[in-house]
């Protein structure tokens, strides 16, 4: 009989320190985020990649490579195994014959943050956490409040007043303790930090607990499984805190170590940001290993309005190591891409996801993408959560009986 989880410990990617996963872990003593490590040799010996196809369509199909030991601690709304679909019409418009969408718009809670919440809350439950707190740009707080409700854990959520209104309502309806802050996510972070230190509460902030990223990495597993255990050439990811792109990078590495990838080298990873908040792009352009705080950041793609990410060095490593790149998209270009994807392919995607399509178009024009390369754009959430990004013009109101 194999184990339910093959997690062995959590490890600091900066100083190499090990910690037990059976205890509550936040940041490393050196200040770096911690990453979960698995006994991949044992997984290799006991698990066949073919078993996954026989399991439920949920990210928990990969439970051996997730951190929860006891199945009864799993908190799930059936998340994961989202569609990976080819977009032939948009692809033709962009000059990309193998353009795909990985569509997180259809997942519970309306954004991919659900993956991090399902795994993060399940592990928190296993560790007997009773109360957690986090700063958020909206979607993470929404997802964590809803999963916390299911796990009977108290959730204190602090988000900017400008965050998408729907996410505020998700926290509220879940019974989360919601605070709005007249500032950015970085301001919310400081407030949460003080609150946690004074009250001994679990810090669920981005990368300040090691398991949210474990949920997000499953996007990487799914992409590879859905391509028949092959990797695409390029994955474009809308990058804010960077957990998604680091998670995908981690997943690809794990699969490679397991010998479960049939073709070629790792995909080139592209961090897509908005021109109004592009700290990773600036750092990448200068060949730096860390980013600098991006002053006065602003973009309608709210999930990627993160002026300084605690895991920036890991995002940059993922880009450098895979020969990827970083690119900033204007507000006009991302709104136009959102309209184009919906009108040509029928997907109503979020503005963050739209930025990746604008990036694919531009990178093809610049020759960075070849026309026959397999390119995956990650749509991280549903357009339905952002009604304000679509400005309707020229609609006629009819009187009853009036002809069109
Ligand atoms: C949070 C968020 C992002 C950014 O994800 P990170 O993993 O933090 O980089 C992108 N899109 C949406 C819709 C988000 O909510
Ligand atoms: Zn360390």
């Amino acid at each position: 009989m194999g184990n339910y989880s093959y997690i062995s410990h959590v490890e600091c990617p900066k100083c190499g320190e090990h910690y037990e996963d059976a205890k509550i872990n936040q940041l490393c003593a050196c200040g770096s985020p911690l990453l979960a490590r698995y006994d991949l040799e044992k997984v290799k010996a006991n698990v066949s990649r073919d078993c996954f196809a026989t399991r439920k369509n949920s990210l928990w199909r990969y439970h051996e490579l997730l951190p929860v030991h006891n199945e009864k601690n799993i908190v799930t709304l059936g998340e994961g195994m989202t569609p990976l679909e080819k977009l032939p019409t948009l692809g033709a418009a962009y000059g990309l014959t193998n353009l795909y969408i990985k569509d997180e718009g259809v997942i519970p809670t309306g954004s991919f943050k659900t993956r991090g919440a399902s795994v993060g809350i399940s592990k928190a439950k296993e560790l007997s956490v009773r109360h957690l707190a986090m700063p958020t740009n909206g979607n993470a707080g929404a997802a964590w409040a809803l999963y916390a409700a299911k796990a009977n854990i108290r959730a204190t959520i602090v988000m900017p007043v400008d965050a998408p209104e729907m996410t505020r309502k998700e926290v509220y309806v879940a019974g989360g303790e919601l605070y709005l802050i007249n500032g950015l996510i970085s301001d919310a972070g400081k407030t949460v930090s003080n609150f946690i230190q004074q009250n001994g509460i679990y810090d669920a902030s981005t990368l300040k607990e090691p398991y949210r990223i474990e949920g997000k990495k499953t996007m990487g597993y799914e992409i590879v499984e859905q391509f028949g255990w092959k990797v695409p050439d390029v994955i474009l990811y809308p990058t804010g805190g960077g957990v998604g792109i680091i998670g995908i990078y981690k997943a690809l590495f794990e699969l490679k170590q397991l010998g479960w990838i049939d073709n070629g080298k790792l995909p080139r990873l592209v961090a897509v940001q908005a021109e109004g908040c592009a700290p990773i792009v600036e750092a990448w352009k200068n060949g730096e290993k860390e980013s600098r705080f991006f002053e006065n950041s602003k973009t309608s793609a709210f999930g990627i309005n993160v002026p300084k990410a605690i895991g920036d060095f890991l995002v940059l490593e993922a880009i450098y190591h895979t020969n990827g790149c970083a690119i900033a998209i204007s507000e006009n270009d991302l709104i136009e891409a959102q309209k184009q994807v919906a009108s040509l392919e029928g997907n109503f995607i979020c503005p963050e996801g739209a930025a990746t399509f604008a990036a694919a178009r531009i990178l093809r024009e610049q020759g960075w993408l070849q026309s026959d390369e397999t390119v995956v754009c990650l749509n991280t959430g549903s357009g339905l959560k952002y009604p304000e990004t679509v400005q309707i013009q020229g609609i006629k109101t009819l009187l009853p009986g009036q002809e069109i």
Side-chain angles (χ1 to χ4, degrees):
M1 258 308 276
N3 293 346
Y4 193 74
S5 167
Y6 286 86
I7 185 168
S8 53
H9 61 281
V10 297
E11 187 179 297
C12 176
K14 252 192 185 151
C15 75
E17 186 69 31
H18 286 202
Y19 297 87
E20 282 173 52
D21 81 284
K23 295 201 178 127
I24 286 180
N25 292 295
Q26 308 260 228
L27 291 176
C28 179
C30 81
S32 165
L34 295 170
L35 297 176
R37 298 296 181 208
Y38 298 81
D39 191 337
L40 295 177
E41 285 307 313
K42 278 207 187 118
V43 175
K44 207 169 173 173
N46 295 336
V47 183
S48 150
R49 71 181 190 193
D50 299 327
C51 75
F52 300 118
T54 66
R55 294 183 182 168
K56 237 183 97 178
N57 261 351
S58 148
L59 63 80
W60 290 102
R61 76 209 262 120
Y62 307 112
H63 60 77
E64 287 94 343
L65 297 163
L66 293 172
V68 177
H69 293 286
N70 193 332
E71 191 173 1
K72 78 172 197 320
N73 290 322
I74 285 175
V75 184
T76 179
L77 302 175
E79 57 292 312
M81 263 304 162
T82 52
L84 177 72
E85 296 291 330
K86 196 163 183 173
L87 303 180
T89 312
L90 188 71
Y94 286 0
L96 290 166
T97 43
N98 294 299
L99 177 65
Y100 288 80
I101 183 172
K102 173 72 173 161
D103 194 3
E104 299 285 298
V106 299
I107 205 164
T109 86
S111 89
F112 83 110
K113 291 292 196 306
T114 257
R115 294 178 186 266
S118 179
V119 175
I121 293 277
S122 299
K123 188 68 182 182
K125 187 177 163 188
E126 191 157 270
L127 294 167
S128 305
V129 168
R130 304 293 313 141
H131 188 180
L132 60 82
M134 63 160 38
T136 173
N137 268 335
N139 285 329
W144 281 70
L146 285 157
Y147 281 81
K150 190 159 173 104
N152 195 22
I153 293 174
R154 266 175 78 185
T156 300
I157 309 290
V158 187
M159 69 170 72
V161 274
D162 296 335
E165 199 177 334
M166 190 57 70
T167 62
R168 192 187 294 186
K169 295 188 176 177
E170 288 175 283
V171 176
Y172 183 81
V173 79
E177 287 155 35
L178 175 65
Y179 294 88
L180 301 176
I181 193 160
N182 219 327
L184 292 174
I185 189 170
S186 40
D187 301 303
K190 284 175 203 148
T191 304
V192 167
S193 222
N194 293 336
F195 175 64
I196 278 165
Q197 275 164 21
Q198 284 161 21
N199 299 282
I201 290 162
Y202 189 63
D203 192 344
S205 309
T206 302
L207 290 171
K208 289 192 181 168
E209 57 75 50
Y211 306 113
R212 183 200 292 215
I213 184 173
E214 294 304 291
K216 290 187 173 186
K217 81 177 178 185
T218 58
M219 290 185 288
Y221 291 163
E222 288 178 19
I223 289 170
V224 176
E225 188 184 346
Q226 286 170 315
F227 276 124
W229 302 102
K230 290 194 173 69
V231 291
D233 294 301
V234 178
I235 300 174
L236 296 102
Y237 193 87
T239 304
V243 188
I245 193 167
I246 306 165
I248 290 172
Y249 179 61
K250 184 173 189 285
L252 293 166
F253 248 91
E254 288 169 351
L255 293 180
K256 212 171 165 67
Q257 266 180 280
L258 286 163
W260 289 355
I261 294 178
D262 285 344
N263 66 326
K265 6 177 211 188
L266 295 184
R268 293 166 4 244
L269 297 178
V270 179
V272 181
Q273 299 202 296
E275 280 182 358
C277 184
I280 300 289
V281 179
E282 304 267 284
W284 176 76
K285 277 191 181 151
N286 297 321
E288 280 158 359
K289 290 199 168 126
E290 281 180 27
S291 64
R292 266 173 243 167
F293 190 93
F294 197 94
E295 298 291 341
N296 304 316
S297 64
K298 190 172 166 24
T299 168
S300 65
F302 220 77
I304 55 176
N305 191 349
V306 181
K308 166 79 183 166
I310 187 171
D312 55 359
F313 69 103
L314 295 169
V315 175
L316 288 158
E317 181 194 313
I319 301 171
Y320 294 132
H321 273 203
T322 61
N323 290 314
C325 70
I327 180 170
I329 303 301
S330 72
E331 292 298 301
N332 265 346
D333 281 353
L334 69 87
I335 296 301
E336 196 183 295
Q338 185 190 41
K339 181 113 199 343
Q340 215 170 11
V341 174
S343 60
L344 293 180
E345 298 286 356
N347 301 83
F348 184 13
I349 64 176
C350 64
E352 296 86 348
T356 67
F357 285 94
R361 175 179 62 73
I362 294 165
L363 291 172
R364 174 69 196 109
E365 284 165 10
Q366 294 175 350
W368 194 87
L369 290 172
Q370 306 304 311
S371 64
D372 60 346
E373 285 188 307
T374 301
V375 176
V376 176
C377 287
L378 234 142
N379 175 44
T380 40
S382 169
L384 298 174
K385 291 186 98 169
Y386 305 73
E388 62 290 342
T389 58
V390 181
Q391 297 297 326
I392 297 183
Q393 279 157 359
I395 303 291
K396 235 188 201 165
T397 306
L398 302 174
L399 295 170
Q402 187 183 348
E403 312 246 316
I404 290 177

